[in-house]
Amino acid sequence: MNSGISQDFQMEITCPICMNYFIDPVTIDCGHSFCRPCFYFNWQDIPILTQCFECMKTTWQRNLKTNIHLKQMAFLARKVSLWLFLSSEEQMCGTHRETKKMFCEVDKSLLCLLCSSSQEHQYHRHRPIEWAAEEHREKLLKKMQSLWEKACENQRNLNVETTRISHWKDYVNLRLEAMRAEYQKTAAFHHEEEKHNLAMLKKKGKDIFHQLHLSKAKMAHRREILRGMYEELKEMCHKPDVELLQGFGDILHRSESVLLHMPQPLNLELSAGPITGLRDKLIQF
């Protein structure tokens, strides 16, 4: 907690889940507020309805609006924390003995105003540290929203494959019974053909069953990758401003790569060989 801010005020702008200052706070139906990333983080089944972490009342999880007032208060609290940090003796500019207020976008360094206008940095892009940090936070939050949407899509696809797997054996057995019933209506000398076609149908059914399991495993693995990336972005958002700016690195690029190559449900068909004599019987009918 920040000694420069009263404890009561700090509690008002602290998320009860992560115990950090709010990032993108949302207020749900019961009146309690949380960081949106914390509230959305349970990706096990992504229900539309969920429970409040404070009072356990059921609430809608979708289409939550950012609480602008709480977001602004959290920004001000981080700003106070930043200035307390920068005002310490070890953070003063060694050359000009001034507070470092600026962030250089090129070499990711903190500079005092005199250093930022020096020959070395005069053509670099500079921003006040607190605004640069908030801009980076907003980029992270935007990327987290994309990850969340992809996680929802991936979970829906995973549910589709899980349902297909649970019904697939019944469907194959139904096709086998239908084929046996048709062969019972044909001459006995088609026994070898029946045996061959039944074996082929079983093999194709087994192959598709295996493909569905592989598809489900890929989606489950992708869910964990998305979840891990989401948590990494969330942790970066919660870092103090200076740590966020200097540790930003390639995290956005890595999150982009996670969004590529999302596994999709398989479009599979169970074909079967022709039954001798059935076409003639249908023509006669």
Side-chain angles (χ1 to χ4, degrees):
M1 289 292 184
N2 188 341
S3 59
I5 305 175
S6 72
Q7 288 190 352
D8 289 340
F9 178 69
Q10 287 186 79
M11 291 304 297
E12 289 297 317
I13 56 174
T14 297
C15 172
I17 299 177
C18 66
M19 300 307 295
N20 291 303
Y21 291 148
F22 285 119
I23 53 169
D24 196 14
V26 293
T27 302
I28 59 178
D29 300 341
C30 60
H32 291 115
S33 300
F34 309 93
C35 297
R36 185 190 301 272
C38 295
F39 192 69
Y40 278 1
F41 196 56
N42 182 9
W43 288 358
Q44 192 60 37
D45 51 10
I46 312 183
I48 295 176
L49 289 172
T50 190
Q51 287 184 320
C52 172
F53 295 90
E54 290 280 274
C55 64
M56 304 308 292
K57 288 184 178 179
T58 301
T59 184
W60 288 95
Q61 183 171 342
R62 303 299 176 86
N63 302 320
L64 298 173
K65 304 297 183 183
T66 299
N67 187 320
I68 301 298
H69 181 60
L70 278 180
K71 184 174 183 177
Q72 181 63 20
M73 288 198 298
F75 166 70
L76 293 175
R78 281 192 291 268
K79 186 175 180 179
V80 171
S81 299
L82 171 65
W83 286 109
L84 285 173
F85 172 77
L86 294 177
S87 62
S88 63
E89 183 67 22
E90 58 269 23
Q91 294 301 321
M92 298 289 286
C93 173
T95 303
H96 303 104
R97 304 305 299 166
E98 289 193 3
T99 302
K100 298 176 183 178
K101 299 179 180 179
M102 307 301 291
F103 176 69
C104 177
E105 298 279 2
V106 176
D107 58 15
K108 312 301 180 186
S109 61
L110 306 182
L111 305 170
C112 73
L113 287 173
L114 291 174
C115 285
S116 66
S117 59
S118 66
Q119 185 176 1
E120 181 183 356
H121 294 280
Q122 62 180 332
Y123 298 113
H124 295 174
R125 183 172 183 256
H126 308 103
R127 299 285 307 282
I129 294 171
E130 65 270 26
W131 291 110
E134 286 304 302
E135 184 180 278
H136 281 60
R137 250 185 217 99
E138 288 301 317
K139 290 179 181 179
L140 293 172
L141 287 168
K142 186 176 181 180
K143 190 59 60 180
M144 290 167 73
Q145 182 63 29
S146 298
L147 284 168
W148 166 253
E149 291 168 1
K150 284 295 183 181
C152 291
E153 175 189 335
N154 185 71
Q155 186 64 46
R156 289 192 293 269
N157 292 339
L158 181 57
N159 293 341
V160 168
E161 298 298 63
T162 301
T163 301
R164 283 181 175 177
I165 290 172
S166 65
H167 294 160
W168 189 251
K169 284 186 177 180
D170 291 339
Y171 177 63
V172 172
N173 289 333
L174 183 64
R175 290 286 297 270
L176 290 170
E177 290 301 318
M179 183 178 289
R180 291 190 185 99
E182 288 302 324
Y183 273 109
Q184 287 177 1
K185 302 172 186 177
T186 63
F189 56 79
H190 292 142
H191 174 70
E192 287 301 319
E193 180 185 291
E194 175 186 4
K195 184 178 178 182
H196 172 75
N197 281 345
L198 288 173
M200 287 296 295
L201 185 57
K202 289 179 181 178
K203 183 180 183 303
K204 290 175 181 176
K206 186 176 180 180
D207 290 343
I208 291 178
F209 192 67
H210 178 65
Q211 291 179 56
L212 287 171
H213 271 289
L214 285 178
S215 177
K216 179 182 176 181
K218 288 179 182 178
M219 291 174 184
H221 180 60
R222 179 58 52 174
R223 178 179 62 187
E224 296 309 309
I225 292 176
L226 288 166
R227 185 182 181 92
M229 191 72 246
Y230 191 91
E231 185 168 19
E232 188 176 345
L233 291 173
K234 182 165 73 77
E235 290 176 357
M236 181 63 72
C237 276
H238 280 304
K239 287 184 178 297
D241 289 354
V242 173
E243 287 186 44
L244 186 153
L245 291 171
Q246 295 181 332
F248 199 74
D250 65 344
I251 194 168
L252 284 182
H253 177 72
R254 289 190 291 109
S255 65
E256 280 287 350
S257 65
V258 168
L259 294 172
L260 299 175
H261 311 300
M262 295 294 293
Q264 298 297 315
L266 299 178
N267 185 19
L268 301 171
E269 293 183 2
L270 186 61
S271 59
I275 299 176
T276 301
L278 181 58
R279 182 174 180 275
D280 296 335
K281 288 173 64 178
L282 290 173
I283 292 174
Q284 290 176 8
F285 177 79

